[in-house]
Amino acid sequence: MRIIDHRLEGFVPGPGLYRLSAEEYHADPCPEPSLSSSIAKLLIDRSPEHAYLAHPRLGGPQEDSDPTRPKEIGTAAHKLLLGQGRDLRMVEADDWKKPEHRRQRAEAYEVGACPILQPDLLKAEGIADQALARLAKVPGCEGFQSAPAEIVAIARDRSGAWLRIMMDRVEITDQGAIIWDVKTGDQAAAPQGLGRRIEGMAMEVQAAFYVHVLGLLLPKLQGHILFRWVFIENDPPHAVTVAEADGAGMHVGERKVALALHRWNASLRRSVWPGYPTQIIRAEYPEWAARRWAEREELDPTVADVAWSLDKSPWRPLDMGDAA
């Protein structure tokens, strides 16, 4: 499928693969308001009301929060890794404390550039260089560097919903496709912690959503589309781990995407975006936390002499009488 350059041309004419700026993508260029993976996560984990307020063509756009330095480093590293994205504008300073440097930062954002402190740019360059060098040593990642970058896929779901994704890189052949997603940050990229990190940030939703959208555009490749994360540590040695979701993760992700689509279609068609329940609920205490406490009661010698019934404390004064 041909990639269409559609920058600065308004709404896209229909489903397809496009080159768009990040700003145009996040503004939602579809013929009708569309569902993205970030909005899907809000529908799943919060409510349709939250999704409505975050959507650029419904209740939004909301004002962007002040970007953090790690986020700016990540944006710069993405630019250096992918060769696409905002232009970088270096500021010769060690921090954003001085008014002059904050002004330069604001001016860069106003023109759509990414301001970056000089030491942070050096860090971003180190991240990009190390990531590319390490990826070259991972079997199966040979096509990463030459694959088209920041490609937008827009499709229409069988339910009628418009869907959109922006892929960091994507490889498409007659035999299948690989979607690459780069994740930089201060968190460890150690393999043993990635399952918990994926679950904690609902990344399985992104994986299933992206695979679903690309599969709608390329039905002959359905069942042969892989989603891979490239986890990169911001701090030296800028370690890298490439990961795919396992079967359980993709299964849960697909179920969550189905829920998001259900809520999206229901709310969009009825123009009703409900929030949390308007009733008192019973908060369920996590089973794992209850088990952990029960184990402590059983195994911790320092609590062996505790009287667990509050009514039978051995420290209760004899003349206390009824508490009532």
Side-chain angles (χ1 to χ4, degrees):
M1 179 176 283
R2 184 170 66 93
I3 299 172
I4 303 167
D5 195 325
H6 193 81
R7 284 171 280 204
L8 302 176
E9 294 185 21
F11 294 150
V12 299
L17 296 175
Y18 295 93
R19 288 193 183 277
L20 299 165
S21 70
E23 290 75 18
E24 291 166 318
Y25 170 76
H26 290 299
D28 190 357
C30 296
E32 299 173 12
S34 66
L35 182 62
S36 65
S37 65
S38 59
I39 297 296
K41 290 178 185 180
L42 289 174
L43 286 163
I44 296 161
D45 295 331
R46 295 200 178 185
S47 75
E49 182 180 23
H50 290 83
Y52 177 87
L53 287 174
H55 199 284
R57 289 173 60 185
L58 296 174
Q62 305 296 301
E63 290 186 6
D64 291 335
S65 58
D66 191 27
T68 62
R69 286 183 65 176
K71 185 175 180 181
E72 289 172 340
I73 292 170
T75 300
H78 268 72
K79 168 73 174 181
L80 296 170
L81 272 166
L82 305 177
Q84 299 286 334
R86 293 178 173 181
D87 291 335
L88 302 180
R89 183 173 292 186
M90 188 189 74
V91 176
E92 295 185 2
D94 293 329
D95 54 47
W96 298 117
K97 293 179 180 178
K98 291 185 178 180
E100 176 189 354
H101 299 143
R102 291 198 298 271
R103 177 181 54 77
Q104 293 178 41
R105 187 190 198 197
E107 289 174 350
Y109 279 120
E110 284 176 4
V111 298
C114 173
I116 186 83
L117 295 166
Q118 187 173 33
D120 290 351
L121 179 57
L122 293 175
K123 192 171 191 177
E125 290 171 344
I127 291 171
D129 291 344
Q130 280 292 319
L132 292 175
R134 291 170 184 268
L135 275 171
K137 300 176 182 178
V138 180
C141 297
E142 296 83 4
F144 173 85
Q145 194 166 356
S146 59
E150 293 205 337
I151 301 302
V152 172
I154 291 174
R156 197 158 196 187
D157 186 65
R158 296 175 183 87
S159 65
W162 285 90
L163 311 176
R164 74 183 194 276
I165 60 175
M166 177 176 269
M167 300 169 284
D168 284 345
R169 287 195 185 275
V170 59
E171 296 179 60
I172 300 174
T173 68
D174 292 337
Q175 290 73 44
I178 302 173
I179 301 170
W180 299 91
D181 191 72
V182 176
K183 299 290 188 191
T184 59
D186 293 336
Q187 293 176 277
Q192 65 271 18
L194 293 182
R196 184 178 293 273
R197 181 174 171 184
I198 288 168
E199 188 279 332
M201 299 185 69
M203 292 183 189
E204 74 278 6
V205 174
Q206 180 195 23
F209 191 88
Y210 277 44
V211 168
H212 176 63
V213 172
L214 194 59
L216 289 172
L217 282 181
L218 305 171
K220 292 183 179 180
L221 298 185
Q222 287 181 359
H224 302 281
I225 300 173
L226 297 175
F227 184 96
R228 290 177 179 166
W229 292 283
V230 181
F231 292 99
I232 308 170
E233 295 175 354
N234 277 3
D235 293 328
H238 307 304
V240 173
T241 298
V242 181
E244 299 173 2
D246 63 6
M250 288 301 292
H251 175 74
V252 171
E254 290 165 1
R255 305 282 287 188
K256 288 185 176 183
V257 170
L259 171 60
L261 275 166
H262 174 83
R263 290 183 171 174
W264 171 260
N265 286 321
S267 295
L268 194 63
R269 290 171 185 173
R270 298 170 186 165
S271 295
V272 177
W273 300 84
Y276 295 146
T278 54
Q279 62 190 56
I280 298 172
I281 61 99
R282 183 179 295 275
E284 295 184 8
Y285 194 71
E287 289 185 12
W288 62 264
R291 286 196 303 269
R292 187 171 65 181
W293 178 255
E295 289 173 359
R296 181 178 176 187
E297 286 187 20
E298 181 181 356
L299 303 174
D300 186 350
T302 67
V303 302
D305 60 345
V306 172
W308 296 110
S309 173
L310 296 178
D311 295 328
K312 299 178 181 179
S313 170
W315 307 107
R316 176 176 174 171
L318 295 177
D319 59 350
M320 182 176 178
D322 262 343

